[in-house]
Amino acid sequence: MEARFVFLFCFLAAAANAASSPKIKLGFDIPSLRLAISETANMSCCYNASVAVQNHWIKTVMISKNNTEYTVMNKTSVRVKFDNSTISGQHCEMLILNDIEKNDTGLYQCFLKESANVVATPGTFLQVYKPVHMILNINEGSKNSIITAEGVLLLLLVLLPGTVLICKSKGLHKLEKKMGREEENIYEGLNLDDCNSTYHQIQRSLVQGPYQDVINNDEDDIQLEKP
């Protein structure tokens, strides 16, 4: 869509230069104007003319590729106002639109007529948009402060759990080292040869002791029957 408008501007500018009368010298027009709904649009066309000229404003809206709508601006609407002034030695015709609406979007051109010649200015494209209403009206300084606080809070939420985990892992590592040292201290004063001999004596008493007692106690009491 923007490419079409650029092409239209170039085409109209070329047509204006080709059809311009030597008695009328066009000034500079504002190419585009972007305003919110209910604002006031001020558009102007400035020129130098050696003869008296008549002017009127025309609004051009491209509805489709091959369909263009033209509207002559007049004072029938209470929102439309015309004025003129002199700026930097040039005569300027002013078009003022009060309380603009979405359907005011379009290309506004000033057509200057002297005798049989008509000169069209490049025009100003007016774009009307609907502003976004904020729920909270916060200035930029407050927004920056909130963003900074959120960043600090996020950093703390990331660092604190990691720090706690590191401290816990260090504590577990120290506890494991301490338990290992205690086990080494338990076996440090023991003699393995003494432990082995004591262990074998205990095992021998548990295995041979009961059988020896039975044999010793029953030798005198049991009498074998002779055949």
Side-chain angles (χ1 to χ4, degrees):
M1 183 63 70
E2 293 181 357
R4 294 179 180 178
F5 285 127
V6 172
F7 176 79
L8 180 61
F9 285 152
C10 296
F11 176 79
L12 292 175
N17 293 331
S20 61
S21 171
K23 297 179 181 181
I24 300 175
K25 184 178 180 181
L26 298 178
F28 175 76
D29 289 349
I30 299 175
S32 63
L33 193 62
R34 188 173 185 268
L35 298 173
I37 293 176
S38 300
E39 291 187 351
T40 300
N42 293 278
M43 291 166 284
S44 63
C45 69
C46 299
Y47 60 92
N48 288 325
S50 58
V51 295
V53 297
Q54 297 178 351
N55 68 85
H56 55 274
W57 287 86
I58 293 181
K59 171 188 172 184
T60 304
V61 178
M62 183 178 293
I63 300 174
S64 61
K65 184 177 180 180
N66 298 320
N67 189 6
T68 304
E69 182 182 29
Y70 301 94
T71 303
V72 179
M73 307 300 297
N74 50 47
K75 292 184 179 180
T76 56
S77 175
V78 295
R79 297 188 301 111
V80 179
K81 182 180 178 181
F82 298 99
D83 198 359
N84 58 76
S85 61
T86 301
I87 301 175
S88 300
Q90 291 183 328
H91 184 76
C92 297
E93 297 293 338
M94 313 291 295
L95 173 63
I96 303 172
L97 296 179
N98 297 313
D99 297 328
I100 57 177
E101 303 171 352
K102 286 284 290 183
N103 56 7
D104 289 329
T105 299
L107 177 66
Y108 291 83
Q109 292 178 276
C110 182
F111 286 79
L112 305 175
K113 181 180 179 182
E114 57 91 15
S115 64
N117 296 321
V118 177
V119 178
T121 61
T124 300
F125 180 77
L126 174 63
Q127 182 182 5
V128 183
Y129 68 93
K130 184 178 180 180
V132 178
H133 297 285
M134 297 183 179
I135 299 176
L136 298 176
N137 189 10
I138 304 175
N139 55 22
E140 292 297 328
S142 300
K143 289 180 182 178
N144 294 334
S145 300
I146 292 173
I147 293 172
T148 303
E150 289 178 351
V152 173
L153 181 60
L154 181 60
L155 183 62
L156 292 175
L157 291 176
V158 172
L159 291 179
L160 287 178
T163 305
V164 172
L165 290 175
I166 291 173
C167 293
K168 286 185 177 180
S169 63
K170 286 184 177 180
L172 291 174
H173 186 63
K174 290 181 179 179
L175 182 60
E176 290 177 355
K177 282 187 175 181
K178 184 177 180 181
M179 293 177 64
R181 289 175 182 175
E182 290 178 354
E183 290 179 357
E184 291 176 358
N185 294 331
I186 291 173
Y187 297 103
E188 185 175 358
L190 296 178
N191 189 352
L192 295 179
D193 295 334
D194 297 338
C195 292
N196 290 331
S197 61
T198 304
Y199 175 77
H200 289 302
Q201 290 177 3
I202 293 172
Q203 291 294 327
R204 190 178 297 110
S205 64
L206 291 175
V207 174
Q208 298 177 357
Y211 296 102
Q212 187 67 31
D213 293 341
V214 171
I215 295 172
N216 293 333
N217 292 333
D218 294 341
E219 279 182 353
D220 298 334
D221 297 337
I222 299 175
Q223 296 179 358
L224 296 176
E225 184 178 356
K226 294 180 180 182

